[in-house]
Amino acid sequence: MSKLVRFGISLENELLFKFDENIKRKKYTNRSEAIRDLIREDLVKREWDENKNVVGVITLVYNHHKRELVNTLMDIQHDYHDNILSSQHLHLDHDNCLEIVAIKGRAKQIGELFGKLKSAKGVKYAGFTETTTGRDLS
Ligand code: NI
């Protein structure tokens, strides 16, 4: 565990008021915890910007009756098998499926994988969450 350091921040009244409103809304108990999370978010964003080894989660919603699309999504995932940690398929209703794909690898490569899945013809919705291996965060 690293040593705890205290430091002061100067900022405009109005900005601090808005920040406090936000952290109250998000149920933080103090400013320090909110600032720590902002710093961690910034560090994760940097991992992605610098093409580091990262982790992500893709969600896809599509109609499984479009057989060509099902095959296309499967082919793309096999092309990136080294990047795929897991894939979960949920039958939402008679027509719609939700697929949750956990991925890892270089940021650019998994961004490319997401781009291919998202642009497959017939995908109703594609979501992407950028996250981290957690190795460089304390
Ligand atoms: Ni299904």
Side-chain angles (χ1 to χ4, degrees):
M1 182 121 187
S2 53
K3 196 180 145 204
L4 213 58
V5 178
R6 285 181 177 274
F7 67 101
I9 299 174
S10 304
L11 71 163
E12 292 78 10
N13 252 344
E14 200 177 324
L15 199 56
L16 182 61
F17 179 75
K18 286 178 179 171
F19 183 66
D20 283 343
E21 271 186 338
N22 257 358
I23 67 175
K24 202 178 291 174
R25 198 167 47 85
K26 291 176 181 172
K27 310 289 183 204
Y28 282 106
T29 52
N30 59 62
R31 287 177 183 152
S32 292
E33 201 47 57
I35 289 169
R36 279 194 280 270
D37 275 355
L38 285 176
I39 293 170
R40 288 185 193 114
E41 276 172 33
D42 194 50
L43 290 171
V44 172
K45 188 180 176 301
R46 188 169 148 196
E47 288 179 9
W48 282 79
D49 289 346
E50 293 182 352
N51 196 27
K52 302 277 182 173
N53 276 313
V54 292
V55 176
V57 180
I58 294 172
T59 54
L60 301 166
V61 175
Y62 59 89
N63 184 331
H64 74 99
H65 290 121
K66 297 186 174 181
R67 297 295 176 192
E68 195 57 40
L69 172 61
V70 176
N71 285 336
T72 300
L73 295 176
M74 189 67 76
D75 287 347
I76 294 168
Q77 290 189 51
H78 275 271
D79 286 344
Y80 288 83
H81 63 91
D82 283 338
N83 299 108
I84 296 182
L85 293 167
S86 78
S87 173
Q88 187 177 18
H89 184 111
L90 295 92
H91 312 302
L92 296 175
D93 57 31
H94 185 261
D95 302 316
N96 293 297
C97 303
L98 169 66
E99 206 158 310
I100 303 166
V101 187
I103 50 180
K104 66 166 185 179
R106 292 278 174 189
K108 277 184 189 159
Q109 192 166 15
I110 62 178
E112 186 186 281
L113 164 60
F114 174 64
K116 287 184 182 176
L117 293 170
K118 183 188 172 98
S119 60
K121 193 168 176 259
V123 171
K124 290 184 177 182
Y125 180 78
F128 190 45
T129 302
E130 295 179 348
T131 183
T132 175
T133 63
R135 284 189 193 132
D136 295 327
L137 294 180
S138 53

